[in-house]
Amino acid sequence: MEPFQFKKFSLKHGLSPMQIGVDSMLLGAWTDVSNCKKVLDIGTGCGILSFMCAQSNENAHITGIDISDSAVLEANENRINSPWSNNMHFELGNLKNYVPKQRFDLIITNPPFFNKQSLQSPNSERAKARHMEELELEDIFKFTHEHLAPNGRLSMVLPFDEFQKVQQMTCKYKFRINRLATVKPKVEKDAHRILVEIGTDPNKLDVSELVIRDLDNTYTPEYQALTQDFYR
């Protein structure tokens, strides 16, 4: 598999259980990394979100964790060949027993989408990456509650039908939704994803809608504007 080419870096993604997709690209471009010194990328895969964060804020130090040996191996190989090799660290780790040495200004994740009852992939590593077999939404919120710095934020991309659960977890752990974008794959389709930023600011609420493709299947101007700093 050929490396995926961005404007300022390229990523190998053939070893990771999950290859680069639109969801991570959307999240990486949409996430606000300003004023963030410490960033955690949960389920980093080949490192795409970490590298997009590094490009957006070259002063941030980014840690990526993953339960897949092959993903961590590939992310570290990508790190060595990137402009930000000293800004990132990738390690094998399960969020359920991961104890960081510092709090994070930003926690970013493209988490498992599918519940345990949905169709499993025959590839065990891919199944873990795609399903809530190893990680559930509440695990992410519990960890964030314990390890997010004051005024920090959690940024995620999720299926649209997970929004009610996000609201429940936000209330349970005394956070607030600061930014929310509903995402449509095409202009005539219903929303299928949400981009959500969770924080503690009681005065901030930014709600928007993003459409990826027009009727003729070309990328919309809004999608191109969002991702223009990253795509060739």
Side-chain angles (χ1 to χ4, degrees):
M1 182 179 292
E2 291 295 316
F4 196 101
Q5 299 293 327
F6 292 85
K7 281 185 176 180
K8 296 186 178 181
F9 58 92
S10 66
L11 297 179
K12 294 180 179 180
H13 60 131
L15 294 179
S16 302
M18 293 298 295
Q19 279 72 55
I20 292 173
V22 172
D23 293 329
S24 286
M25 294 178 190
L26 277 172
L27 180 63
W30 182 82
T31 296
D32 179 9
V33 195
S34 61
N35 302 317
C36 294
K37 294 181 179 179
K38 301 290 184 181
V39 177
L40 177 67
D41 175 11
I42 300 170
T44 189
C46 69
I48 177 173
L49 293 175
S50 294
F51 288 95
M52 294 180 81
C53 287
Q55 179 179 320
S56 297
N57 182 353
E58 295 189 347
N59 294 316
H61 181 81
I62 302 157
T63 299
I65 63 170
D66 204 291
I67 59 173
S68 164
D69 291 280
S70 57
V72 174
L73 178 68
E74 191 162 57
N76 272 309
E77 185 176 352
N78 287 328
R79 175 186 61 81
I80 292 168
N81 296 314
S82 80
W84 310 288
S85 59
N86 294 327
N87 296 52
M88 288 182 283
H89 169 73
F90 297 105
E91 61 183 272
L92 192 68
N94 187 322
L95 192 72
K96 291 181 180 180
N97 51 37
Y98 177 62
V99 182
K101 296 178 180 178
Q102 73 282 316
R103 290 180 176 268
F104 297 99
D105 304 301
L106 173 68
I107 298 173
I108 186 169
T109 183
N110 177 2
F113 278 175
F114 305 103
N115 62 37
K116 297 174 184 176
Q117 286 72 44
S118 63
L119 183 64
Q120 293 284 326
S121 166
N123 180 306
S124 61
E125 283 208 331
R126 183 172 173 83
K128 287 179 181 179
R130 295 193 67 188
H131 296 262
M132 293 182 181
E133 180 178 277
E134 294 292 329
L135 187 68
E136 298 189 11
L137 191 59
E138 183 156 11
D139 296 324
I140 297 170
F141 271 87
K142 183 176 184 294
F143 179 90
T144 300
H145 178 72
E146 294 171 351
H147 300 289
L148 193 68
N151 302 315
R153 45 194 181 263
L154 166 66
S155 188
M156 298 183 291
V157 56
L158 291 163
F160 183 81
D161 57 13
E162 291 288 297
F163 182 50
Q164 184 175 0
K165 189 179 293 185
V166 169
Q167 290 177 302
Q168 292 170 350
M169 292 294 103
T170 301
C171 181
K172 178 176 180 177
Y173 288 96
K174 296 180 171 57
F175 288 119
R176 294 177 181 270
I177 295 175
N178 294 155
R179 295 172 65 212
L180 173 69
T182 56
V183 182
K184 292 182 175 183
K186 278 190 174 182
V187 66
E188 79 278 14
K189 300 284 188 179
D190 292 332
H192 73 314
R193 297 283 187 266
I194 55 169
L195 298 165
V196 59
E197 179 191 287
I198 309 295
T200 57
D201 188 343
N203 301 311
K204 183 179 180 182
L205 179 58
D206 179 1
V207 179
S208 61
E209 180 182 85
L210 175 67
V211 180
I212 298 175
R213 293 183 183 272
D214 278 320
L215 289 171
D216 61 1
N217 212 38
T218 59
Y219 287 123
T220 61
E222 62 193 303
Y223 177 82
Q224 293 181 56
L226 178 66
T227 59
Q228 66 182 350
D229 290 341
F230 299 98
Y231 287 172
R232 287 187 180 278

